[in-house]
Amino acid sequence: MEGFLRFLVAKAILLALASSFVSCYDPSPLQDFCVAVDDASGVFVNGKFCKDPKYVKAEDFFTSGLNIAGNTINRVGSNVTNVNVDKIPGLNTLGVSLVRIDFAPGGQNPPHTHPRATEILVVVEGTLLVGFVTSNQDNNRLFSKVLYPGDVFVFPIGMIHFQVNVGRTNAVAFAGLGSQNPGTITIADAVFGSKPSIMPEILAKAFQLDVNVVKYLEARFSSNYDRHY
């Protein structure tokens, strides 16, 4: 009897953990669609309010412009064009979004992470070096590969990853993400461009740098110019 009770308790814990894990991701739809709508009178929640279905139209599931190259004249030489729930309200609760990434020769999408989404990227033009780094528990291993048109690479949720144009011409890639609003944390922007700034002494010790070097980096990133998304 005692062993059976232990089994039931263990099963209950596993079910609770599973439920908690599932709740970390985008909410599952409980109807055909939940087109996002702003409602200033409501309480802000993780997601969006739903438009009355009888007022939904085709335009709620549509956007255009991904045929237009993004402006890559900036400090990193790339541009990300987002197609998320803010661009297509009909994406709300569907757990998916899309980006177009343009790269100048030598341009990069700097090391960053998406806290709410796995990313799957396909190269349509040019040559990209891509990679991601695993967690501390996995000894921060780097998985990296050079991609050509038609090649596909996956970046697991939460992993720090990057893309660099290693060709002599412009490059273009499209990526699908497993969230209507995956979020982006660009490591350098977050660390050296936080508001207010992190104490230089903390970053100097963390990155094994001279304090003056940290102050220089914070001055560059805190200016917020050409911040990359």
Side-chain angles (χ1 to χ4, degrees):
M1 183 65 177
E2 185 178 348
F4 180 67
L5 287 174
R6 285 200 191 114
F7 168 76
L8 289 178
V9 171
K11 186 175 181 180
I13 292 173
L14 288 173
L15 286 172
L17 288 173
S19 299
S20 175
F21 178 76
V22 169
S23 68
C24 292
Y25 295 88
D26 289 356
S28 297
L30 299 177
Q31 53 202 42
D32 289 349
F33 46 75
C34 172
V35 174
V37 63
D38 292 328
D39 188 343
S41 65
V43 177
F44 181 79
V45 295
N46 183 23
K48 304 282 187 177
F49 294 99
C50 297
K51 179 187 284 190
D52 188 327
K54 66 176 175 285
Y55 297 122
V56 170
K57 49 191 177 181
E59 285 74 18
D60 291 323
F61 303 94
F62 170 81
T63 192
S64 62
L66 282 191
N67 59 313
I68 300 172
N71 183 3
T72 59
I73 303 176
N74 52 55
R75 61 181 167 92
V76 294
S78 71
N79 184 281
V80 178
T81 303
N82 287 291
V83 181
N84 53 27
V85 69
D86 294 324
K87 288 285 186 68
I88 303 181
L91 284 177
N92 192 37
T93 76
L94 299 185
V96 66
S97 58
L98 178 72
V99 297
R100 169 181 172 142
I101 315 173
D102 291 277
F103 301 84
Q108 64 172 267
N109 192 5
H112 62 283
T113 178
H114 303 295
R116 296 181 290 276
T118 290
E119 175 180 344
I120 182 167
L121 177 141
V122 57
V123 177
V124 298
E125 182 182 326
T127 307
L128 294 181
L129 170 66
V130 306
F132 70 87
V133 180
T134 63
S135 63
N136 296 355
Q137 290 84 348
D138 193 49
N139 296 317
N140 304 120
R141 290 191 295 158
L142 171 64
F143 290 89
S144 183
K145 193 168 182 62
V146 175
L147 305 182
Y148 303 94
D151 289 346
V152 178
F153 200 84
V154 173
F155 307 100
I157 184 171
M159 298 293 99
I160 294 174
H161 59 284
F162 61 88
Q163 301 103 25
V164 182
N165 183 359
V166 293
R168 297 182 178 179
T169 61
N170 292 337
V172 181
F174 288 86
L177 298 110
S179 171
Q180 66 186 42
N181 190 17
T184 300
I185 302 172
T186 304
I187 307 306
D189 286 311
V191 171
F192 296 107
S194 67
K195 302 290 187 299
S197 298
I198 300 173
M199 289 177 58
E201 292 77 12
I202 294 174
L203 297 181
K205 187 169 185 178
F207 288 93
Q208 296 295 287
L209 297 173
D210 185 271
V211 172
N212 291 324
V213 173
V214 173
K215 290 179 179 178
Y216 168 78
L217 291 171
E218 288 189 326
R220 286 183 64 85
F221 282 93
S222 64
S223 65
N224 207 26
Y225 70 96
D226 288 339
R227 185 160 286 222
H228 196 66
Y229 294 93

